[in-house]
Amino acid sequence: MKTGIPPLIVGNWKMNPQSVSLSAKLGAEFKKRLSAISGVDVVVAPPSIYLESVHRARNSSKSYALGAQNAHFAQLGAHTGEVSLPMLKDFDVSYIIIGHSERRALGETDVLVNEKLLAVIKAGCTGIVCVGELKRDHGGHYLSHIEAQVRKALVKVSRTKLSQVVVAYEPLWAIGTGKNATPADIYEMKLFIEKVISDIYGRNYAQKVRVIYGGSVSGKNAQELFVDGMVDGFLVGGASLHPEEFIQIVKSVRER
Ligand code: PGA
């Protein structure tokens, strides 16, 4: 864990739940349960169309921050189907997930990820940049892949803005599969990502970037992954739709 920076737990609801009333119910449930927990930064990222209902359900409690699963880099204009940062900020969104593998699979490139990160930083929000390999190989090529993703995402990002950057290591083979990376794998990758960032900015600045893990994180494995994986938090998909389990994950990062 980084000195003076709390761990971060992000709930990525993806394209769930199925109705606005269910999203409001979940938003209210999290508000109730999270208000008693401190020392952890919690972000809930519903589909954009549900941001208003979750924003209302959360009310002014600020027991969690709101996140978006994507944003366009432009302020406004002819971008059919997109949502801009000023629109998201109207609903108090402060974290944006960028380059999730499910979006990269639809054609989101490293260049686009970088453009989005620069726009997110400029808007005063925090970007959660997702990186991850499709599979692991014995030759260690997956490490070069991760290094390239991190370096390309950070092009033109000033070192003074690094506290607005989070890197989420999400190996594709672990997402939604029930097969999480081992704590040793996670620890190795966390150190590796920090080294890549240190090589660009120097160690002190690199310490501002939280490196979190995502991929089949559950109430059952969170504590071990946090303690032995030494990560700064988690990006949680499936389990973030179940309040009981999500809270268990949040509680698991209070101590190491
Ligand atoms: P998962 O998803 O927790 O369901 O594996 C993680 C993610 O895709 O962010």
Side-chain angles (χ1 to χ4, degrees):
M1 211 173 345
K2 274 144 191 155
T3 331
I5 311 177
L8 175 70
I9 304 295
V10 184
N12 173 12
W13 289 4
K14 307 194 178 186
M15 205 167 72
N16 301 292
Q18 264 182 338
S19 70
V20 69
S21 60
L22 282 173
S23 73
K25 211 169 140 205
L26 265 182
E29 184 77 21
F30 286 134
K31 174 190 165 185
K32 197 171 81 196
R33 291 171 183 250
L34 288 167
S35 54
I37 301 176
S38 60
V40 184
D41 288 346
V42 182
V43 178
V44 170
S48 300
I49 197 158
Y50 294 154
L51 276 168
E52 184 173 9
S53 67
V54 179
H55 176 54
R56 266 207 224 124
R58 186 191 62 154
N59 206 338
S60 54
S61 82
K62 307 268 169 159
S63 51
Y64 54 91
L66 283 174
Q69 299 172 19
N70 181 35
H72 198 274
F73 57 83
Q75 296 278 305
L76 79 175
H79 302 288
T80 303
E82 296 287 343
V83 176
S84 76
L85 286 156
M87 293 169 189
L88 295 168
K89 284 182 73 179
D90 259 357
F91 295 106
D92 207 22
V93 166
S94 50
Y95 288 81
I96 317 286
I97 299 171
I98 305 171
H100 190 282
S101 60
E102 286 153 15
R103 295 204 55 81
R104 290 186 192 253
L106 297 173
E108 196 153 304
T109 61
D110 287 321
V111 171
L112 199 47
V113 167
N114 174 243
E115 273 177 309
K116 289 184 179 192
L117 179 59
L118 291 169
V120 163
I121 290 171
K122 199 166 168 203
C125 297
T126 297
I128 302 162
V129 178
C130 302
V131 299
E133 77 281 1
L134 188 57
K135 58 180 174 27
R136 290 202 164 197
D137 57 291
H138 295 303
H141 291 112
Y142 64 95
L143 292 170
S144 327
H145 175 71
I146 302 293
E147 173 164 7
Q149 283 188 323
V150 172
R151 283 187 178 272
K152 288 176 184 172
L154 291 172
V155 170
K156 293 196 195 135
V157 172
S158 142
R159 61 188 182 178
T160 59
K161 303 290 184 195
L162 288 176
S163 56
Q164 286 169 257
V165 179
V166 173
V167 175
Y169 169 57
E170 294 210 307
L172 274 63
W173 46 269
I175 296 178
T177 57
K179 281 192 237 153
N180 58 279
T182 63
D185 288 342
I186 295 172
Y187 185 42
E188 175 202 55
M189 195 54 88
K190 195 231 176 190
L191 292 178
F192 179 73
I193 291 170
E194 284 180 343
K195 162 121 184 28
V196 171
I197 303 172
S198 290
D199 287 348
I200 309 172
Y201 297 99
R203 195 164 181 282
N204 286 351
Y205 284 100
Q207 283 299 309
K208 306 235 176 283
V209 179
R210 282 183 282 196
V211 179
I212 64 176
Y213 166 77
S216 299
V217 176
S218 68
K220 281 205 184 80
N221 63 22
Q223 179 105 47
E224 190 195 1
L225 298 183
F226 183 70
V227 173
D228 297 335
M230 295 297 284
V231 270
D232 302 313
F234 298 119
L235 177 50
V236 186
S240 70
L241 293 160
H242 305 285
E244 190 93 26
E245 192 169 8
F246 189 61
I247 299 306
Q248 210 180 330
I249 295 171
V250 171
K251 285 184 175 166
S252 75
V253 303
R254 285 183 306 178
E255 274 167 41
R256 176 149 51 202

